[in-house]
Amino acid sequence: MQIIETILSLVLTLGILVTIHEYGHFWVARRFGVKVLRFSVGFGKPLWSWYDRHGTEFAVAAIPLGGYVKMLDAREGPVSPELVDQAFTSKSPYQRIAIAAAGPAANFIFAIAAYWLLAVVGVTTVAPIVGSVTPGSVAERVGLAPGMELTEVDGHGVSSWRSVNMRLLERAGEHGTVSFAITGGQGQGLLQGELGGWSLSTDTPDPLGEFGIVPNRPAIPPLLGVISAGGRASAAGLQSGDRIIAVDGDPVEDWFGLVEHIRKSPEQSLVLRFEREGAERILNIVPAAKTADDGETIGLIGAGVQVPEWPESSLREISYGPLAAFPVAVEETWADTRLTLVAIKKMLTGLLSPSNLSGPITIALVAEASVSSGFEDFVRFLAYLSVSLGVLNLLPVPVLDGGHILYYTIEAIRRKPVSEQVQAIGLRIGMALILTLMVFALYNDLMRL
């Protein structure tokens, strides 16, 4: 059942983003008088289609991993004389540039609209309050201390740990000074310190943790939440709501203490003392063994934590009026754009491992999680993915929109099109590059399972 939900979440997510992207191409092409033959969401054989009064076929195809807008094009076959002026190839280079750029533009416009909606509706975020600082870290060198709430990073306002992470990611691998505006804790003001070329790990980058910041969080008691069907916890008789008191006689103070006991005891019998409905009970459990990403064998019992509620003092309600929300939405979209560009740059320079590339499986899992989390998380995920799609499509790689824009720009400057031979070579290079990245991203997906 979960696999079906994940697949449906992927289809929904990609369906929305592909439709938005292709509609950008479609809308501008129609404005310039280009005859659109087909608007397809998905590749392959159409599962459903219909025609509008202009003769355009709208289709939903079997493979939901993209889409396309097919236009009348003299390069693909003879065009009847009465339709020549409606062919894509009859339009000026500037019009073709506009049509090619319209897809990514639609993605950015959608992101702005999504962030505008969230800003108007209002969101609740966890305030970026420092819980602790790692000794010897950049955070300690800067002067951050427990209880401080971060309000700006390098002059940019931050209201959540997500925005702090984004700002820190941009500074990974750099030298120079980083600054934080803070309030609470030991006072308020501006803290500055040297980055010293701090870097991210190659496989699992964690800007906050590697910078030396541990977020403030409420105490998490060892209270069991979701019990996985077929897991060791379920087989032993544990239930949601059980509070673990001790493991092998050692008192358990919080959830992390329980996790530590379980992780270091794969396939070893443990005696759990727990409380259920006011009464203490005892049972034996043998954690299953699993090999972690770093090769270490750890124990798992198939039980999640019952997440406590955040105290009101740690939450911030953020909302704007319709007009004030617009610049906020633009800034959010620009921040996502900058983050995507920085991530590409850092992968190319080795500061971020290519193993972070994600394919359809990871997108499906994140989509399913965001759909399950609620409206706000799903809209935010759609907005970020839409920005990433827009940025990647603008890269000057043949096959992508950016590659077409590059060819049409050269044509506008030279006043003659790029030769078919050069375009054919570029097409092969672009296809090889895209297919390589797709295979690599899919490999990364499989390695994460």
PDB file of all heavy atoms in Angstrom, residues 367-379:
ATOM      1  N   ALA A 367       8.314  13.246  -1.957  1.00  0.00           N
ATOM      2  CA  ALA A 367       6.964  13.698  -2.312  1.00  0.00           C
ATOM      3  C   ALA A 367       5.926  13.038  -1.422  1.00  0.00           C
ATOM      4  O   ALA A 367       5.007  13.692  -0.915  1.00  0.00           O
ATOM      5  CB  ALA A 367       6.678  13.393  -3.781  1.00  0.00           C
ATOM      6  N   GLU A 368       6.079  11.728  -1.201  1.00  0.00           N
ATOM      7  CA  GLU A 368       5.115  11.005  -0.357  1.00  0.00           C
ATOM      8  C   GLU A 368       5.159  11.533   1.069  1.00  0.00           C
ATOM      9  O   GLU A 368       4.124  11.727   1.713  1.00  0.00           O
ATOM     10  CB  GLU A 368       5.447   9.515  -0.393  1.00  0.00           C
ATOM     11  CG  GLU A 368       4.327   8.602   0.122  1.00  0.00           C
ATOM     12  CD  GLU A 368       4.363   8.424   1.630  1.00  0.00           C
ATOM     13  OE1 GLU A 368       5.459   8.530   2.203  1.00  0.00           O
ATOM     14  OE2 GLU A 368       3.296   8.197   2.227  1.00  0.00           O
ATOM     15  N   ALA A 369       6.394  11.805   1.553  1.00  0.00           N
ATOM     16  CA  ALA A 369       6.529  12.327   2.917  1.00  0.00           C
ATOM     17  C   ALA A 369       5.926  13.721   3.034  1.00  0.00           C
ATOM     18  O   ALA A 369       5.258  14.039   4.022  1.00  0.00           O
ATOM     19  CB  ALA A 369       8.007  12.363   3.314  1.00  0.00           C
ATOM     20  N   SER A 370       6.133  14.569   2.002  1.00  0.00           N
ATOM     21  CA  SER A 370       5.605  15.932   2.066  1.00  0.00           C
ATOM     22  C   SER A 370       4.091  15.947   1.944  1.00  0.00           C
ATOM     23  O   SER A 370       3.412  16.742   2.590  1.00  0.00           O
ATOM     24  CB  SER A 370       6.248  16.806   0.984  1.00  0.00           C
ATOM     25  OG  SER A 370       5.916  16.337  -0.301  1.00  0.00           O
ATOM     26  N   VAL A 371       3.548  15.049   1.115  1.00  0.00           N
ATOM     27  CA  VAL A 371       2.086  14.956   1.003  1.00  0.00           C
ATOM     28  C   VAL A 371       1.495  14.533   2.339  1.00  0.00           C
ATOM     29  O   VAL A 371       0.481  15.068   2.794  1.00  0.00           O
ATOM     30  CB  VAL A 371       1.690  13.958  -0.110  1.00  0.00           C
ATOM     31  CG1 VAL A 371       0.194  13.675  -0.059  1.00  0.00           C
ATOM     32  CG2 VAL A 371       2.046  14.524  -1.485  1.00  0.00           C
ATOM     33  N   SER A 372       2.163  13.562   2.996  1.00  0.00           N
ATOM     34  CA  SER A 372       1.669  13.073   4.282  1.00  0.00           C
ATOM     35  C   SER A 372       1.809  14.125   5.377  1.00  0.00           C
ATOM     36  O   SER A 372       1.024  14.150   6.324  1.00  0.00           O
ATOM     37  CB  SER A 372       2.435  11.804   4.684  1.00  0.00           C
ATOM     38  OG  SER A 372       2.300  10.801   3.695  1.00  0.00           O
ATOM     39  N   SER A 373       2.840  14.983   5.252  1.00  0.00           N
ATOM     40  CA  SER A 373       3.100  15.975   6.291  1.00  0.00           C
ATOM     41  C   SER A 373       2.071  17.086   6.317  1.00  0.00           C
ATOM     42  O   SER A 373       1.880  17.732   7.333  1.00  0.00           O
ATOM     43  CB  SER A 373       4.501  16.570   6.108  1.00  0.00           C
ATOM     44  OG  SER A 373       5.477  15.562   6.255  1.00  0.00           O
ATOM     45  N   GLY A 374       1.446  17.344   5.167  1.00  0.00           N
ATOM     46  CA  GLY A 374       0.427  18.380   5.141  1.00  0.00           C
ATOM     47  C   GLY A 374       0.620  19.374   4.009  1.00  0.00           C
ATOM     48  O   GLY A 374       1.590  19.332   3.248  1.00  0.00           O
ATOM     49  N   PHE A 375      -0.325  20.292   3.932  1.00  0.00           N
ATOM     50  CA  PHE A 375      -0.388  21.256   2.841  1.00  0.00           C
ATOM     51  C   PHE A 375       0.872  22.110   2.747  1.00  0.00           C
ATOM     52  O   PHE A 375       1.452  22.266   1.670  1.00  0.00           O
ATOM     53  CB  PHE A 375      -1.622  22.147   3.040  1.00  0.00           C
ATOM     54  CG  PHE A 375      -1.728  23.288   2.070  1.00  0.00           C
ATOM     55  CD1 PHE A 375      -2.161  23.072   0.770  1.00  0.00           C
ATOM     56  CD2 PHE A 375      -1.386  24.582   2.456  1.00  0.00           C
ATOM     57  CE1 PHE A 375      -2.264  24.127  -0.125  1.00  0.00           C
ATOM     58  CE2 PHE A 375      -1.477  25.636   1.574  1.00  0.00           C
ATOM     59  CZ  PHE A 375      -1.917  25.403   0.272  1.00  0.00           C
ATOM     60  N   GLU A 376       1.308  22.670   3.859  1.00  0.00           N
ATOM     61  CA  GLU A 376       2.454  23.596   3.838  1.00  0.00           C
ATOM     62  C   GLU A 376       3.714  22.916   3.314  1.00  0.00           C
ATOM     63  O   GLU A 376       4.406  23.450   2.436  1.00  0.00           O
ATOM     64  CB  GLU A 376       2.712  24.143   5.234  1.00  0.00           C
ATOM     65  CG  GLU A 376       3.914  25.070   5.320  1.00  0.00           C
ATOM     66  CD  GLU A 376       4.294  25.426   6.746  1.00  0.00           C
ATOM     67  OE1 GLU A 376       3.412  25.392   7.629  1.00  0.00           O
ATOM     68  OE2 GLU A 376       5.487  25.717   6.965  1.00  0.00           O
ATOM     69  N   ASP A 377       4.027  21.727   3.845  1.00  0.00           N
ATOM     70  CA  ASP A 377       5.242  21.032   3.420  1.00  0.00           C
ATOM     71  C   ASP A 377       5.179  20.648   1.947  1.00  0.00           C
ATOM     72  O   ASP A 377       6.185  20.731   1.229  1.00  0.00           O
ATOM     73  CB  ASP A 377       5.459  19.781   4.271  1.00  0.00           C
ATOM     74  CG  ASP A 377       5.920  20.117   5.683  1.00  0.00           C
ATOM     75  OD1 ASP A 377       6.450  21.229   5.879  1.00  0.00           O
ATOM     76  OD2 ASP A 377       5.736  19.285   6.584  1.00  0.00           O
ATOM     77  N   PHE A 378       4.004  20.222   1.486  1.00  0.00           N
ATOM     78  CA  PHE A 378       3.877  19.811   0.089  1.00  0.00           C
ATOM     79  C   PHE A 378       4.037  21.003  -0.847  1.00  0.00           C
ATOM     80  O   PHE A 378       4.733  20.924  -1.865  1.00  0.00           O
ATOM     81  CB  PHE A 378       2.521  19.135  -0.137  1.00  0.00           C
ATOM     82  CG  PHE A 378       2.345  18.601  -1.542  1.00  0.00           C
ATOM     83  CD1 PHE A 378       3.265  17.726  -2.088  1.00  0.00           C
ATOM     84  CD2 PHE A 378       1.260  18.992  -2.307  1.00  0.00           C
ATOM     85  CE1 PHE A 378       3.100  17.235  -3.380  1.00  0.00           C
ATOM     86  CE2 PHE A 378       1.095  18.509  -3.600  1.00  0.00           C
ATOM     87  CZ  PHE A 378       2.017  17.630  -4.130  1.00  0.00           C
ATOM     88  N   VAL A 379       3.418  22.126  -0.502  1.00  0.00           N
ATOM     89  CA  VAL A 379       3.532  23.327  -1.343  1.00  0.00           C
ATOM     90  C   VAL A 379       4.972  23.816  -1.363  1.00  0.00           C
ATOM     91  O   VAL A 379       5.505  24.193  -2.418  1.00  0.00           O
ATOM     92  CB  VAL A 379       2.586  24.438  -0.839  1.00  0.00           C
ATOM     93  CG1 VAL A 379       2.860  25.745  -1.574  1.00  0.00           C
ATOM     94  CG2 VAL A 379       1.133  24.029  -1.046  1.00  0.00           C
TER      95      VAL A 379
END
